[in-house]
Amino acid sequence: GAVVSQHPSWVICKSGTSVKIECRSLDFQATTMFWYRQFPKQSLMLMATSNEGSKATYEQGVEKDKFLINHASLTLSTLTVTSAHPEDSSFYICSALLHSEQFFGPGTRLTVL
Amino acid sequence: GENVEQHPSTLSVQEGDSAVIKCTYSDSASNYFPWYKQELGKRPQLIIDIRSNVGEKKDQRIAVTLNKTAKHFSLHITETQPEDSAVYFCAASSGGSNYKLTFGKGTLLTVNP
């Protein structure tokens, strides 16, 4: 139980384009999901908290207009990286909250050329 | 906000030895302290957690201790095996309405056969 999936697992895009990453809780409903970014050999940095039916809460320094989050249902949150640039290349990981524990997705490797 | 410090950043041990990783936190309101194991390119996996009403918790070869007064908690792995080699992250959360996690910078554990 408590399985979280992400799609795609990896994506390569050109600079200036937008990329959408999906996070799904497969066997439970999640009112709250989280989006993290992890650069090589670094820790997970929380980008935003995604709440179903309301606006996401962004961490300090994260541009909400660049990283669009939509949590339209209890099993799906999406992160759209708009106008991606090479410095946005990273490992993006989502998690879904169940009974105070976060269950992580497998991550999405984004490479911006 | 919460700040979590983790030491050491790298740790190399011989198979069968014990490994200890230490973390400190700054927010006295934090009450949930999970430890994650992350292999290269994979999602973080919860290996053990402890809540502030408990001082120690053990699960087979893994144990965690918590000192609320000093605001530090530690991960102990006994009888280490090569498959224990990975990056380990500590985290802290104050619970509340969103159970947001703040992660330490991670410890690269290498268990030499």
Side-chain angles (χ1 to χ4, degrees):
Chain A
V3 178
V4 177
S5 70
Q6 273 183 250
H7 179 80
S9 56
W10 60 269
V11 57
I12 301 173
C13 69
K14 292 182 178 180
S15 186
T17 61
S18 295
V19 174
K20 180 185 284 189
I21 302 170
E22 295 184 346
C23 178
R24 294 181 185 274
S25 55
L26 298 184
D27 51 1
F28 66 101
Q29 293 182 329
T31 305
T32 302
M33 292 184 175
F34 302 89
W35 286 97
Y36 297 86
R37 181 167 51 183
Q38 186 176 33
F39 292 110
K41 297 186 178 181
Q42 293 189 24
S43 187
L44 284 79
M45 296 299 295
L46 180 65
M47 300 176 65
T49 302
S50 171
N51 299 296
E52 188 269 337
S54 63
K55 291 183 179 180
T57 303
Y58 290 82
E59 294 300 300
Q60 191 172 8
V62 178
E63 301 174 56
K64 62 180 182 181
D65 294 330
K66 179 171 179 64
F67 298 99
L68 302 179
I69 291 172
N70 184 17
H71 194 156
S73 79
L74 288 171
T75 59
L76 174 64
S77 176
T78 60
L79 169 68
T80 300
V81 183
T82 63
S83 187
H85 291 286
E87 56 266 32
D88 297 322
S89 298
S90 188
F91 192 49
Y92 291 84
I93 307 175
C94 72
S95 71
L97 187 67
L98 177 64
H99 301 320
S100 80
E101 183 178 339
Q102 291 189 29
F103 292 87
F104 288 86
T108 297
R109 175 75 58 191
L110 170 63
T111 301
V112 185
L113 302 177
Chain B
E2 174 68 279
N3 182 48
V4 177
E5 300 283 343
Q6 183 172 346
H7 298 280
S9 56
T10 61
L11 179 59
S12 182
V13 300
Q14 289 300 122
E15 183 176 1
D17 288 350
S18 295
V20 180
I21 303 171
K22 299 182 179 182
C23 289
T24 61
Y25 61 99
S26 62
D27 188 352
S28 57
S30 289
N31 56 16
Y32 175 60
F33 308 92
W35 286 88
Y36 296 91
K37 175 183 179 182
Q38 187 181 31
E39 298 177 350
L40 190 62
K42 301 291 181 64
R43 75 185 85 195
Q45 291 186 306
L46 179 69
I47 56 172
I48 196 166
D49 57 12
I50 192 168
R51 299 187 185 274
S52 60
N53 58 344
V54 176
E56 183 174 357
K57 184 176 178 181
K58 188 174 182 180
D59 183 4
Q60 299 183 337
R61 296 186 296 111
I62 296 173
V64 57
T65 59
L66 171 65
N67 183 326
K68 283 180 59 180
T69 304
K71 295 201 194 102
H72 67 68
F73 55 114
S74 301
L75 176 71
H76 304 252
I77 305 174
T78 59
E79 301 172 31
T80 54
Q81 302 165 3
E83 48 266 39
D84 293 330
S85 297
V87 178
Y88 291 80
F89 293 98
C90 63
S93 171
S94 60
S97 60
N98 61 18
Y99 298 94
K100 189 168 70 171
L101 288 172
T102 301
F103 283 82
K105 291 188 183 301
T107 296
L108 174 61
L109 173 64
T110 303
V111 180
N112 302 300

